[in-house]
Amino acid sequence: MFWRRRKQADFEDEIRAHLELEADRLRARGVATQDAELAARRNFGNVGIAQDRFYAAQSLSWLQDFARDARYAMRTLRRTPGFSIAVVLTLALGIGANAAMFTIVNAVLFRPLPYPDSHRIVSMSMMSEGIDREVLDDHTFRALAAEGTPSLEAVAVSRGGDVIVHTVDGPREIPGSDVTSQYFAVYGFAPLRGRTFSTDEARPGGPEVVVLSEQLWRGMFGGDSAIIGRSLVLDEKPTTVIGVMPATLTTSRRAQLWTPLRIRPAVEGQTMYYYAVGRMRAGASIEMVRAEIGTIARRAADALTGVGPRDRELTPVAMTLHDRRFGDSRKALLLLWGTVGVLLLVACANLANLSLARSAQREREFALRLALGASRTRIVRYVLCESLVLSTTGAILGVLLAAASVGYFVRISPGSVANAEGVRVDATALGFTLVVALATALLFGLVPALRAARGHVSLALASGSQRSAGSRREQLLRRALIVAQLATALVMLTGAALVTKTLARVTAIDPGFDTENLLVIRPTLARARYTPPNADAFYQQFMARLRRDPDVRAVALADAAPLGGARMTVVITDSAGRSSPPVDVLGVDAGYFPTIGARIIEGRGFASSDRLGAPQVAIVNATLARLMYPGRSALGQTIRADGEKTIIGVVNDIRQRGGLEAPVTLVAYISLTQTGVSHFQSVIVRTVPQPKAHYDRVRAMIREIDAAQVPPSLNTIEERMTEEIAPRRFTVVLLGIFAGLAGTLAIVGLYGVLSYLVAERTREIGIRVALGADSGRVLRFVLGSGMALTTIGVVLGAGAAAFTVRLLRTMVYDMSVYDPWTFAASAGLLVGVAFLASYVPARRAAAIDPVRALRME
C-alpha cells in the first residue's frame, strides 16, 4: 500500500515538473504566464487519463476488480438468504465429507510409514488352503537366517507379549516384544542411546538384556541419562538396559520395550510361528522375495522328518509392511472416498439446478447490465465470483465439519485405521479442500454463468417481467440433472443396502457358543515368581472365589477364550501316519465347554478323571473329525499332538481364529489337568447380565490373592465380536451416511425443480383452472412430472448399479451382489420418498386461485 502511494506521488511530481518545464519554455518565447501554463497542459494531454493509465499499469487491477465483484456478490447473496443458506449447507456437507475421507485416506494409504526407506520393509508369512496365516514357521526362518537371500539384507522375527516391570511404585505391565538381533536393522533405526542386541545375547542361554523405547525411557524413568547399564526387574528377573530406541520406531505399535527372542533348535514334530519382517536390498522386488522364500521353505521342509505332504503345500506370502498393516482397509477406504466424490458431484448437480433457476429469474438484471455496457465476459466473471463466494463459505464450514467428524470416523474404524498416526485435518487436507472448493465453484457455476452471458438484451428488457421460464433447452438440462442425481442416489443406496445386509449376515453367523454375558479375564503372572504348581494354585484359588460370587453362573480355564487364538499350531498325524494341515491346539479344563455353551456332538467332554498320569485324551472339532476320519467315527482314534492322545469326543465347530467370516479352523482340545497350566491363562466367566459390572470385583479378588499383581486384562466376548465386525461396521456407517446424503440431495433437488415448475407456470395453471380444469387434473399433472423424472432416474440407476456393485464382491458375505430383493428395496425406497417430494408442490399447484394468479401478471 505504501509502495503504491510513493510511486503515485513520484509520478505526479514528474508530471508537474514536465508541465513547469514546458511552461518555462513557452514563457521564454514571449508567451504570457497564464497562457503558457494553459498551452503546456494542452500539449501534454489529459493529466487524469495519464494518471489512471499509470495506476492501472502499476497495480493489480484484476485483483481489485475481483474484490469489488466479491463484495457485490456478498451483498446480492444477502438479499436471497434462502438460496444462499441452501447452497452453503449443501456445499458444507459435500466438501466436508470429502475433506474428512481424504484426511483418513491420506493418513492411512498415501502417507509412507515413518521408517527409513519404508517401502523396502516387507512382511513375510505363509498361506495355507487360501488363508494367510500372517506368521512364518521357525524352520523357514532358521534357513533364511543361515543361508541368506540375494533380495534381503536383513531378516527378523518377533513375538509380542506383555512384561511386568517392577518399579518403586509397584509392578506395571508394559507391552513388549521378543525380537531377534536384526529386528532394528530391518526397520532402519540406530539406537538413540546405547546399542541393540548382539548375536550372543540372542542365543539360548544369553544374558538378560532389554532395549527401551524413548517414550518409556522419558515417561517411566524421567529421561535418566544414566539409564544404560541400569538393572531392571522384568518378570522377577534382573535385566540390564542396553539401549534406547527413538520414538518413531513405536509409531502405531504397542511395544514399548524389546527383549531377545531366542529361537530354540528344531524339534521333530514341533513347529513354532512368528511374525517375520525383512528389508529388501536396493533394486529387489516383492516377487523376488516371494520366490526365494518359497524355495527356502520347501528345502527346510524336506530336511525335516515327519512333516507330511500337506504341510509342504504352504504358499509363501510377501508384501510391503504398509500393505500388511493397511491392505485390508485399502479397498473399503478407496470405495468410500470415491463415494464422497460422487456425493459432491450430486451436490454440484443440485446447486447447478438451483443456480440455473435463479439465473433465469435474473435474466432481466443481466440484460440491463449488458445494455449499460458490461461485456459478456464481465457477466461470466461476476456469476463465477458469486459461485466462488458460496463455495469458499461452504468449504470453510466443510473443514470445520471434517475436523469435528474425523475423530468419530476414526473411533468406529477398524484397528488398522484407528491406530494410524496423524489422522487429523492438516495442511495437506486444507490444500485438498481448497482445490475441491475451486473445482466445485466451476462445476456448479459455469453453466449458469454462460447462460447469463447469452441472454438476449432486447427481448429480456421488452418482457417487463422479472421471471423467465428459461428456454426449453435449459428446462431439459434441469430435468436431466435431476435424473442424474436420482440415478446416482439409487446406485449409492443399493451399495449401502448390500453392505448393510452383509453386516446383518455376518452378525448372524453362529460362532459355535453362547456369546452373551461371557467375561474373559487374563491375569499376568511373573514366570520367575510363579512356578507351574504356584500358577495352578493361583488360578484354582481365583476361580474358587469367582464361583462364590452369587452373580457368577460358571467358570472355566483355557489357554485362550473363543475368538482368541490358540496355545500352539501343530501338524498332527493319525495312527496310519497321515498328516493333517496345521491344527490349533487349545488346552481347556473340564468346565470349558459347559461354560461357553458349546455342544458335545459325539462322545464326552473332559472330566475330573482326565488328570495327570491318566491316559492322554483329546477332543476335536467337527471339521477336523470329518477331515481326518471321513465316513467313520473319530472316537477312540489316536493322534499325535504333543504326545499320543486318544479322541474321546467331538465338539461342534467353535470360531477360534481368523474371525467370524473366515473358514472354520481345525482345532484339537487337550486337558489342562493333564498338561498343566501356564502363566498366561484365560479365565472365562458366565455372569448374570452386565459382565462389566464385575470388573472392580475381579480386580479386588486378585489383589486379595496377591497384592503385587498387576491389574488383569478384562473384556467381554461381545466386545471381541464388536472388534471382529469393526471393518464392516465402519464401511456400513460411512456408506450409509453418504448414500443418505446423496438421496436427500436428489430428493431436495426434485422438490426444488417441481416447486420452480409450479412457480414459473402459475399463470398457465391459473388459466387452466379458469377454463375448467379441476384440482385433480392439476395434481396429476405436477405429480406425473415428478414421477416421470423419478422413473427415468430409477431405470438408469438400476442399470448403473448392476454395473458398479461388482466392486463390492469382496465385501459381501454369503450372498450375491445382484440380490434382487436389495435392488427392489432400494428402488422402492427412492420412489416412495420421491413421491412425497413431488406431492407437496403438486398440492400447492392444485390449490392455486386463478383470479390471484392472473392478477399477478
Side-chain angles (χ1 to χ4, degrees):
M1 180 177 64
F2 295 109
W3 172 86
R4 186 178 63 188
R5 289 180 178 177
R6 283 200 306 272
K7 297 287 287 186
Q8 190 171 358
D10 292 342
F11 185 67
E12 291 173 355
D13 291 342
E14 186 176 348
I15 292 177
R16 191 179 303 109
H18 181 83
L19 293 175
E20 289 175 355
L21 289 172
E22 181 66 13
D24 289 343
R25 188 181 65 82
L26 292 174
R27 280 195 295 269
R29 294 173 58 183
V31 180
T33 300
Q34 187 174 1
D35 293 339
E37 291 177 356
L38 290 174
R41 288 183 176 276
R42 282 195 301 271
N43 293 338
F44 181 83
N46 193 312
V47 175
I49 292 177
Q51 289 176 332
D52 288 342
R53 288 175 177 172
F54 173 81
Y55 177 70
Q58 297 294 325
S59 64
L60 299 175
S61 57
W62 62 271
L63 186 59
Q64 292 181 329
D65 290 341
F66 174 78
R68 185 164 52 249
D69 286 345
R71 287 194 298 270
Y72 185 77
M74 286 187 283
R75 289 198 301 271
T76 303
L77 293 171
R78 279 201 300 267
R79 290 197 295 269
T80 55
F83 169 80
S84 303
I85 292 174
V87 171
V88 168
L89 290 181
T90 301
L91 286 172
L93 290 174
I95 295 177
N98 273 270
M101 279 309 305
F102 175 80
T103 298
I104 296 175
V105 169
N106 181 54
V108 175
L109 300 184
F110 298 157
R111 188 180 300 162
L113 295 175
Y115 312 131
D117 296 327
S118 61
H119 63 282
R120 292 169 55 192
I121 304 177
V122 296
S123 172
M124 298 168 290
S125 59
M126 288 292 179
M127 180 180 293
S128 173
E129 297 185 346
I131 301 175
D132 185 358
R133 304 293 178 177
E134 299 188 4
V135 289
L136 192 71
D137 63 279
D138 57 337
H139 311 302
T140 302
F141 170 70
R142 287 191 194 89
L144 275 172
E147 301 177 21
T149 61
S151 60
L152 294 174
E153 63 184 34
V155 180
V157 294
S158 63
R159 178 181 58 197
D162 295 341
V163 180
I164 299 176
V165 180
H166 294 266
T167 67
V168 293
D169 298 325
R172 286 182 55 183
E173 190 172 27
I174 305 296
S177 183
D178 298 332
V179 300
T180 53
S181 57
Q182 287 193 307
Y183 181 83
F184 304 105
V186 168
Y187 283 92
F189 283 104
L192 191 67
R193 288 176 174 269
R195 60 178 179 84
T196 57
F197 308 127
S198 66
T199 305
D200 291 337
E201 289 168 337
R203 289 173 178 165
E208 299 296 334
V209 291
V210 64
V211 174
L212 307 179
S213 68
E214 183 180 355
Q215 295 94 321
L216 185 64
W217 171 54
R218 296 188 185 279
M220 180 179 288
F221 303 103
D224 183 7
S225 58
I227 190 68
I228 305 301
R230 179 173 169 180
S231 180
L232 305 179
V233 179
L234 271 60
D235 287 340
E236 305 289 340
K237 295 181 293 186
T239 307
T240 303
V241 177
I242 62 171
V244 176
M245 299 304 296
T248 314
L249 178 61
T250 58
T251 299
S252 304
R253 302 176 74 85
R254 290 184 67 249
Q256 294 297 309
L257 57 82
W258 299 269
T259 51
L261 174 59
R262 289 154 179 153
I263 306 290
R264 302 287 176 181
V267 177
E268 182 179 341
Q270 291 187 6
T271 303
M272 301 297 293
Y273 294 90
Y274 304 100
Y275 297 103
V277 289
R279 175 170 285 271
M280 290 191 297
R281 299 184 190 276
S285 65
I286 292 290
E287 290 73 19
M288 293 172 59
V289 174
R290 191 178 298 121
E292 291 169 6
I293 294 175
T295 301
I296 291 176
R298 286 190 295 272
R299 192 182 306 141
D302 291 339
L304 295 171
T305 58
V307 179
R310 296 186 65 89
D311 195 39
R312 296 174 190 167
E313 295 175 6
L314 295 174
T315 304
V317 176
M319 64 181 72
T320 65
L321 186 63
H322 190 283
D323 286 344
R324 173 68 74 187
R325 290 191 185 178
F326 304 120
D328 292 341
S329 306
R330 179 184 298 276
K331 187 166 186 177
L333 288 177
L334 292 178
L335 173 68
L336 291 170
W337 194 26
T339 301
V340 295
V342 174
L343 172 64
L344 185 60
L345 292 178
V346 172
C348 289
N350 202 355
L351 299 179
N353 238 329
L354 290 174
S355 298
L356 278 171
R358 187 166 180 266
S359 177
Q361 293 177 350
R362 299 173 68 189
E363 189 177 49
R364 192 166 184 268
E365 172 196 340
F366 293 132
L368 187 59
R369 288 173 177 269
L370 291 170
L372 293 176
S375 66
R376 298 186 185 273
T377 303
R378 188 77 171 78
I379 297 295
V380 171
R381 191 176 68 187
Y382 168 69
V383 177
L384 285 178
C385 186
E386 278 191 355
S387 301
L388 187 59
V389 169
L390 291 170
S391 183
T392 302
T393 307
I396 293 172
L397 292 179
V399 168
L400 296 177
L401 177 64
S405 61
V406 72
Y408 168 74
F409 291 158
V410 170
R411 281 196 301 274
I412 67 170
S413 64
S416 59
V417 176
N419 295 329
E421 188 74 10
V423 184
R424 58 182 176 274
V425 179
D426 54 10
T428 305
L430 292 177
F432 171 80
T433 306
L434 176 62
V435 172
V436 169
L438 293 174
T440 302
L442 287 175
L443 281 173
F444 82 85
L446 187 59
V447 173
L450 295 176
R451 192 265 182 209
R454 286 200 307 265
H456 198 286
V457 177
S458 58
L459 290 178
L461 294 178
S463 67
S465 174
Q466 291 290 340
R467 182 183 300 277
S468 169
S471 68
R472 182 175 181 82
R473 181 185 300 174
E474 290 167 9
Q475 294 179 26
L476 289 175
L477 176 59
R478 293 204 296 270
R479 285 163 172 76
L481 288 173
I482 287 301
V483 168
Q485 287 180 262
L486 290 168
T488 305
L490 180 60
V491 172
M492 296 176 67
L493 286 173
T494 304
L498 283 172
V499 295
T500 302
K501 191 171 183 179
T502 290
L503 178 64
R505 286 178 175 269
V506 170
T507 54
I509 293 175
D510 181 13
F513 62 99
D514 183 4
T515 62
E516 292 185 1
N517 304 324
L518 275 183
L519 176 63
V520 180
I521 309 168
R522 290 270 300 180
T524 303
L525 307 182
R527 287 189 178 92
R529 193 154 53 92
Y530 278 91
T531 60
N534 292 339
D536 183 65
F538 170 86
Y539 282 114
Q540 294 304 323
Q541 186 177 358
F542 177 46
M543 293 168 64
R545 288 174 181 261
L546 287 170
R547 291 189 180 99
R548 289 197 293 267
D549 190 319
D551 292 333
V552 172
R553 295 292 177 262
V555 181
L557 191 65
D559 288 330
L563 303 175
R567 178 178 187 171
M568 59 182 173
T569 301
V570 301
V571 175
I572 66 174
T573 56
D574 61 10
S575 55
R578 292 175 301 176
S579 299
S580 73
V583 175
D584 291 334
V585 177
L586 191 69
V588 300
D589 69 357
Y592 178 74
F593 297 120
T595 298
I596 67 172
R599 184 169 54 91
I600 301 294
I601 57 179
E602 188 179 6
R604 65 174 178 87
F606 293 121
S608 57
S609 58
D610 300 317
R611 60 174 62 90
L612 189 63
Q616 297 281 307
V617 294
I619 297 174
V620 297
N621 68 345
T623 299
L624 179 57
R626 286 193 299 269
L627 177 68
M628 295 291 288
Y629 311 102
R632 56 196 177 108
S633 174
L635 297 182
Q637 302 292 334
T638 301
I639 60 173
R640 293 184 58 193
D642 195 18
E644 286 195 358
K645 294 177 173 57
T646 302
I647 299 176
I648 61 171
V650 178
V651 68
N652 64 285
D653 291 327
I654 302 170
R655 304 280 175 167
Q656 193 67 38
R657 185 197 297 273
L660 293 172
E661 302 171 55
V664 175
T665 54
L666 307 178
V667 185
Y669 300 90
I670 58 178
S671 174
L672 279 177
T673 57
Q674 292 186 331
T675 61
V677 300
S678 68
H679 298 77
F680 302 103
Q681 301 289 161
S682 292
V683 180
I684 300 102
V685 183
R686 172 80 64 184
T687 71
V688 295
Q690 299 300 328
K692 290 186 177 181
H694 295 73
Y695 282 11
D696 291 337
R697 276 183 275 178
V698 167
R699 294 188 183 100
M701 289 178 188
I702 289 181
R703 283 196 301 269
E704 291 172 2
I705 299 173
D706 185 353
Q709 277 284 63
V710 297
S713 168
L714 298 166
N715 59 12
T716 65
I717 290 293
E718 290 174 342
E719 289 173 337
R720 293 190 179 187
M721 297 279 286
T722 301
E723 292 176 2
E724 289 285 342
I725 63 174
R728 290 202 178 276
R729 189 180 70 250
F730 175 70
T731 305
V732 166
V733 170
L734 266 64
L735 191 56
I737 290 174
F738 300 146
L741 289 176
T744 301
L745 291 175
I747 296 303
V748 169
L750 177 64
Y751 173 82
V753 164
L754 294 179
S755 296
Y756 183 74
L757 172 69
V758 172
E760 70 182 7
R761 302 181 70 174
T762 298
R763 185 171 182 271
E764 175 194 340
I765 294 173
I767 293 174
R768 289 174 178 268
V769 175
L771 293 177
D774 58 15
S775 59
R777 294 186 64 181
V778 175
L779 183 69
R780 289 192 297 273
F781 166 69
V782 179
L783 194 59
S785 299
M787 296 313 295
L789 294 176
T790 302
T791 301
I792 297 173
V794 167
V795 171
L796 294 178
F803 177 77
T804 56
V805 294
R806 293 183 298 175
L807 299 174
L808 301 176
R809 280 177 176 167
T810 59
M811 296 185 181
V812 299
Y813 174 80
D814 194 29
M815 62 181 289
S816 169
V817 291
Y818 300 111
D819 181 50
W821 293 107
T822 303
F823 274 70
S826 303
L829 175 63
L830 188 63
V831 169
V833 178
F835 178 85
L836 295 177
S838 305
Y839 183 76
V840 176
R843 286 288 299 173
R844 188 182 302 128
I848 288 177
D849 184 353
V851 176
R852 294 184 61 186
L854 296 176
R855 192 175 287 165
M856 284 194 320
E857 298 294 328

